[in-house]
Amino acid sequence: MKMQLSFFKKTSCNKFPDVVSLSFKVILLFIILSVTIIKPAYSQITLLNETFDGATFPPTGWALENVDGLGNDWVQNTTACSGKSMSYTYHPTLAADVWAYTSGVTLTAGVIYQIQFQEKTTSTTTENLKVTVGTSQTVAAQTTTLLDLPNVTNSSCLPRTANYTCPSSGTYYFAFNCYSPPNKWTLYVDEVKIIALFTPISPADGSYLASNYAYTWTWTEGIPDYKLYVACTSEDINCSLTGLLSTLNCTPSTCNMDANQDIGGVPTNDSYLWYVKDNDGTTISPKFTYHLNRTITPTSTWQQAPPYTLPGGYSWFYYKVNMIAGNHYLFATCNHSGHDGTLPGGSADFDTYIEVLDAANPQLDNDDCGLGGVQSYLDYPCTLSGFYYVKVRGSSLLGTDWGTFTLAYKTSSPCTPLPVAPTSAIADHTSFCAGDYTNIQLSAAGGSGTTLNWSTSCGGTVIGTGTPLSITAPTSTTTYYASWTNSCGTSSCASI
């Protein structure tokens, strides 16, 4: 076997490399081959793979630009991390501003892409490299900087990566910009790849999911026998959801949550993570977040939560509410403006049912058709402060009611101070015959309020106010009732 060894020699009078070659024969008695297989961190689709080993430079579809038209350009070089490379060699008086644009790659909105490459320099002199992406092979179009590497000095190849979430579908061009000062040395770029990372298509990251419904997760790439993991706030912690398994088998590009693996009951966490592992236990996807309830904060005016669509079947959605004892909490999926206030009201295109539950999951209150019709209106008086869940579902337990709804909500604080009933009521004459007295005097003791009212039935028509009160003596047996009133209402009564 004939082998050629090449190395560079730096001289004192210039920086251009001399090549010294040495040839000899080697008799191989044994060959020991060591192979290390490195699994990718993500399942991926390779969109571009350039090693610069081709016969032409720049590669097909690539473009080069020297901004000021002076100095040196990117060139092909036999020194590389593997095979050949793309390199920029210094100019003694001019700073670099040279660009190498990749060929166009088609990207999809919302998908996470990664550019990978190897980079090194010739010596300890510093070099500057920037990686960008844009919609054409021009400096002006390269509006997004993915990686900026000023003052790199590594003389051995280092892997570099940068992620890019595509904002809108279309053709994009990645670029390498060397902007080193004058009189430095040589910068090398090799083994450029652009890949699509494992990315969810549906449901989208950050979605609010309905409970008790079978979901299908889909992603940009997959191979058989992946497993879907659903966890709490850190990896591999099972959230103990009712009927939910911690891992689910997946087919290529999809993963189904079956009906017997529903997200049921009140969520024990506000948010959950899902991610995918291969059979060796290696996590091969980013961690995506899904919410199983939406926190709402009722105030004294009506508000609307964002519209939500129950996906079908017997499904429901939770809202999490921090309630205060003594307050009333109102929830509606109907237009309630004619009943207790102004818009905005709730709405729904199906027969709804509203429940209030606590963390232990018992139903504390419910309403099906509170104001008539098929939508719901619930007034819940809170007796114990804490977090509660408001559950909106279809009225039918057969799963035939589902669609889009908007929940309206508000709270009303208790009025204070409430009036307190008198402790007693008396009259100066209580047993007499008609004509014995012209007037009698009524008096009440105890209680509190703004006005003391007297009537002949509790809560009836007021015949006078204050204590004592002088009235015409009755001509037949009569009972008189005293009660306190204020802006919060009327107390119960004391009678004589």
Side-chain angles (χ1 to χ4, degrees):
M1 174 181 288
K2 186 176 181 180
M3 300 183 65
Q4 178 171 294
L5 304 180
S6 298
F7 60 91
F8 296 117
K9 180 177 71 177
K10 179 179 177 182
T11 66
S12 58
C13 59
N14 64 67
K15 295 181 181 177
F16 296 96
D18 297 327
V19 178
V20 179
S21 300
L22 176 63
S23 300
F24 57 91
K25 292 183 178 179
V26 179
I27 299 175
L28 298 180
L29 299 179
F30 299 99
I31 297 177
I32 301 176
L33 178 63
S34 175
V35 179
T36 301
I37 300 175
I38 302 176
K39 291 188 299 184
Y42 302 96
S43 173
Q44 62 193 45
I45 302 173
T46 300
L47 305 178
L48 182 146
N49 186 6
E50 183 54 61
T51 62
F52 305 105
D53 294 337
T56 60
F57 185 86
T60 301
W62 285 55
L64 304 180
E65 182 178 0
N66 188 323
V67 172
D68 57 17
L70 302 174
N72 298 324
D73 294 312
W74 287 106
V75 297
Q76 190 179 47
N77 199 308
T78 56
T79 299
C81 302
S82 174
K84 299 177 183 180
S85 69
M86 178 175 70
S87 70
Y88 171 84
T89 300
Y90 77 100
H91 189 281
T93 60
L94 298 175
D97 192 4
V98 292
W99 293 74
Y101 305 103
T102 69
S103 54
V105 289
T106 301
L107 307 185
T108 302
V111 175
I112 304 170
Y113 295 89
Q114 186 176 88
I115 183 168
Q116 306 173 348
F117 62 97
Q118 299 278 347
E119 168 274 323
K120 75 171 186 175
T121 65
T122 306
S123 71
T124 56
T125 59
T126 60
E127 304 288 348
N128 299 341
L129 177 65
K130 184 165 57 178
V131 180
T132 63
V133 64
T135 54
S136 72
Q137 293 174 320
T138 64
V139 173
Q142 295 293 308
T143 55
T144 301
T145 298
L146 302 178
L147 196 63
D148 195 0
L149 300 171
N151 304 318
V152 293
T153 59
N154 52 289
S155 57
S156 299
C157 290
L158 286 180
R160 307 285 191 178
T161 62
N163 288 358
Y164 177 62
T165 302
C166 179
S168 60
S169 299
T171 301
Y172 289 79
Y173 303 84
F174 293 77
F176 296 89
N177 171 220
C178 177
Y179 63 101
S180 299
N183 202 34
K184 292 297 182 178
W185 200 272
T186 303
L187 175 68
Y188 302 90
V189 171
D190 200 3
E191 299 177 11
V192 177
K193 285 186 178 182
I194 298 172
I195 63 174
L197 296 183
F198 184 113
T199 304
I201 299 173
S202 177
D205 184 29
S207 294
Y208 288 85
L209 301 185
S211 296
N212 208 43
Y213 188 76
Y215 284 94
T216 298
W217 281 265
T218 58
W219 48 79
T220 56
E221 174 72 352
I223 60 175
D225 299 325
Y226 281 177
K227 292 184 182 295
L228 173 70
Y229 278 68
V230 179
C232 294
T233 54
S234 61
E235 189 169 313
D236 297 343
I237 299 177
N238 187 359
C239 294
S240 300
L241 299 174
T242 302
L244 176 64
L245 301 182
S246 60
T247 62
L248 303 171
N249 290 322
C250 303
T251 59
S253 300
T254 63
C255 192
N256 296 306
M257 178 176 287
D258 298 328
N260 64 341
Q261 295 165 336
D262 292 334
I263 304 172
V266 172
T268 56
N269 284 67
D270 296 339
S271 299
Y272 294 83
L273 301 176
W274 79 267
Y275 50 91
V276 175
K277 290 187 175 186
D278 63 16
N279 279 338
D280 295 332
T282 301
T283 299
I284 58 171
S285 80
K287 295 180 178 67
F288 305 105
T289 301
Y290 295 107
H291 307 283
L292 295 188
N293 62 68
R294 185 187 296 274
T295 299
I296 55 176
T297 305
T299 64
S300 59
T301 59
W302 282 101
Q303 301 176 71
Q304 285 180 329
Y308 187 83
T309 300
L310 293 178
Y314 185 53
S315 57
W316 54 76
F317 189 71
Y318 285 109
Y319 297 87
K320 187 176 183 180
V321 188
N322 186 17
M323 298 188 186
I324 300 173
N327 285 9
H328 282 243
Y329 291 85
L330 288 72
F331 306 98
T333 57
C334 58
N335 186 343
H336 50 77
S337 60
H339 175 71
D340 60 0
T342 59
L343 294 175
S347 64
D349 57 15
F350 63 100
D351 190 350
T352 60
Y353 189 89
I354 296 179
E355 302 174 58
V356 173
L357 310 95
D358 62 14
N361 202 26
Q363 185 185 99
L364 302 174
D365 204 349
N366 68 86
D367 179 79
D368 188 6
C369 306
L371 299 181
V374 296
Q375 276 75 53
S376 308
Y377 179 94
L378 177 62
D379 182 346
Y380 175 67
C382 180
T383 59
L384 180 66
S385 297
F387 280 102
Y388 293 81
Y389 294 92
V390 177
K391 176 180 177 181
V392 180
R393 63 170 175 84
S395 178
S396 172
L397 297 177
L398 301 177
T400 56
D401 295 323
W402 54 273
T404 301
F405 70 90
T406 298
L407 180 73
Y409 57 93
K410 68 168 290 187
T411 183
S412 57
S413 302
C415 188
T416 57
L418 293 173
V420 178
T423 56
S424 62
I426 59 175
D428 59 350
H429 303 289
T430 58
S431 180
F432 54 87
C433 295
D436 287 350
Y437 302 100
T438 303
N439 296 305
I440 62 172
Q441 185 170 277
L442 303 177
S443 301
S448 62
T450 303
T451 304
L452 184 72
N453 292 335
W454 291 92
S455 59
T456 55
S457 62
C458 189
T461 301
V462 176
I463 62 170
T465 61
T467 182
L469 172 67
S470 180
I471 63 171
T472 301
T475 58
S476 60
T477 302
T478 305
T479 301
Y480 295 93
Y481 296 85
S483 62
W484 282 104
T485 64
N486 62 16
S487 58
C488 292
T490 301
S491 74
S492 56
C493 300
S495 61
I496 177 62

